[in-house]
């Protein structure tokens, strides 16, 4: 399984990490404390044009990280992370190991600054950042929508009885209205036949014409 390209830059207190995958699907992203207390980043997902390629990444980082304070954003262009360091110091490299087998990890020169330019922060206003514990389920608070499925167990007769008891006013006849909607499937035929019947009814209502004098 191929590695995705990883771009990284740093400040004294944080890392900017981008996994360069487009239109990612079925992604699994984990940021955690790994061996010896060092940070560990794991990613697996499908990306690119159809048929999509499945990528996997498992990195042991150079030093300790603060998982709870770190953020991630998943978009159609890439996966972007702000990883907070435990110690405010520059890392020699992103990973514990070094070597040619890590050639897919590259410096992100668009975000990189020298140590004497630490004041220059990266503009992250275009990223929808959230905690790593939320990245799999959409915006925070949306998970509760699943509870709507419980309406399937509602007794329809009981609901209609309550609706006719006064709380819903004129909604008591709604059951009959719903039953009459079964013929709506033929909506493509509405208009032509009905207009002829209406025309005949209108003619029946016209008074007889008296003969001219």
């Amino acid at each position: 399984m191929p590695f995705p390209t990883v771009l990284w830059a740093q400040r004294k207190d944080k890392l900017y990490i981008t996994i360069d995958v487009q239109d990612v699907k079925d992604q699994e992203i984990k940021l955690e404390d790994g061996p010896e207390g060092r940070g560990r980043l794991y990613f697996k997902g499908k990306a690119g044009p159809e048929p999509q390629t499945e990528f996997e990444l498992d990195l042991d980082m150079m030093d300790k990280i603060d998982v709870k304070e770190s953020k991630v954003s998943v978009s159609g262009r890439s996966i972007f992370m702000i990883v907070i360091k435990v110690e405010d110091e520059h890392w020699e490299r992103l990973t514990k190991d070094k070597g040619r087998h890590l050639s897919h990890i590259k410096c992100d020169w668009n975000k990189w600054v020298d140590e004497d330019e630490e004041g220059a922060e990266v503009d992250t206003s275009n990223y929808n950042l959230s905690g790593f514990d939320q990245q799999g389920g959409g915006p925070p608070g949306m998970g509760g929508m699943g509870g709507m499925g419980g309406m399937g167990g509602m007794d329809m007769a009981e609901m209609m009885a309550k609706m006719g008891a006064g709380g819903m006013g004129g909604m008591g006849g709604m059951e009959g209205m719903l039953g009459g909607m079964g013929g709506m499937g033929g909506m493509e035929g509405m208009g032509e036949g009905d207009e002829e019947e209406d025309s005949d009814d209108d003619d029946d209502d016209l008074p007889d014409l008296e003969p001219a004098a």
Side-chain angles (χ1 to χ4, degrees):
M1 194 175 299
F3 300 125
T5 298
V6 177
L7 306 174
W8 80 288
Q10 67 174 321
R11 302 295 184 270
K12 185 177 290 186
D13 61 337
K14 65 176 70 75
L15 304 165
Y16 297 114
I17 300 176
T18 301
I19 302 178
D20 189 14
V21 287
Q22 297 182 355
D23 300 322
V24 64
K25 295 178 182 178
D26 303 329
Q27 71 271 14
E28 180 182 358
I29 309 170
K30 293 180 182 179
L31 186 70
E32 58 191 10
D33 295 326
E36 304 175 6
R38 303 173 190 268
R40 174 179 179 260
L41 173 62
Y42 177 82
F43 162 77
K44 186 177 181 180
K46 299 176 182 178
E50 298 289 348
Q52 290 189 307
T53 302
E54 188 169 21
F55 294 93
E56 188 173 28
L57 177 73
D58 195 350
L59 294 180
D60 290 330
M61 295 186 174
M62 182 77 183
D63 211 333
K64 299 177 182 179
I65 58 172
D66 188 336
V67 176
K68 291 184 178 180
E69 295 299 320
S70 299
K71 305 291 183 182
V72 61
S73 171
V74 180
S75 70
R77 295 183 300 172
S78 63
I79 298 172
F80 174 71
M81 291 166 262
I82 301 177
V83 179
I84 304 301
K85 301 176 182 178
V86 171
E87 302 291 339
D88 289 352
E89 59 184 14
H90 277 79
W91 292 6
E92 180 181 350
R93 55 186 176 272
L94 177 62
T95 60
K96 178 185 72 172
D97 299 326
K98 59 181 179 179
R100 292 183 178 179
H101 65 290
L102 299 173
S103 60
H104 56 288
I105 301 175
K106 307 176 185 298
C107 289
D108 189 344
W109 298 114
N110 290 327
K111 297 180 178 66
W112 195 274
V113 296
D114 294 331
E115 292 186 36
D116 56 358
E117 298 177 356
E118 273 291 305
E121 293 291 336
V122 172
D123 181 9
T124 60
S125 59
N126 292 329
Y127 296 100
N128 185 20
L129 293 162
S130 62
F132 275 82
D133 57 341
Q134 300 170 341
Q135 56 84 24
M142 293 293 286
M145 292 291 285
M148 293 291 285
M151 291 185 69
M154 184 177 292
D155 187 335
M156 196 66 173
E158 181 182 352
M159 183 185 73
M160 287 299 179
K162 291 181 179 179
M163 289 170 65
M168 294 293 287
M171 296 293 287
M174 189 172 179
E175 185 173 9
M177 183 182 73
L178 290 173
M181 290 182 70
M184 293 292 284
M187 287 186 69
E188 66 275 7
M190 284 183 62
E192 296 179 4
D194 294 340
E195 286 180 2
E196 291 181 4
E197 292 181 6
D198 292 342
S199 177
D200 292 341
D201 292 341
D202 292 342
D203 291 343
D204 292 342
D205 295 335
L206 292 174
D208 294 334
L209 297 176
E210 296 181 2

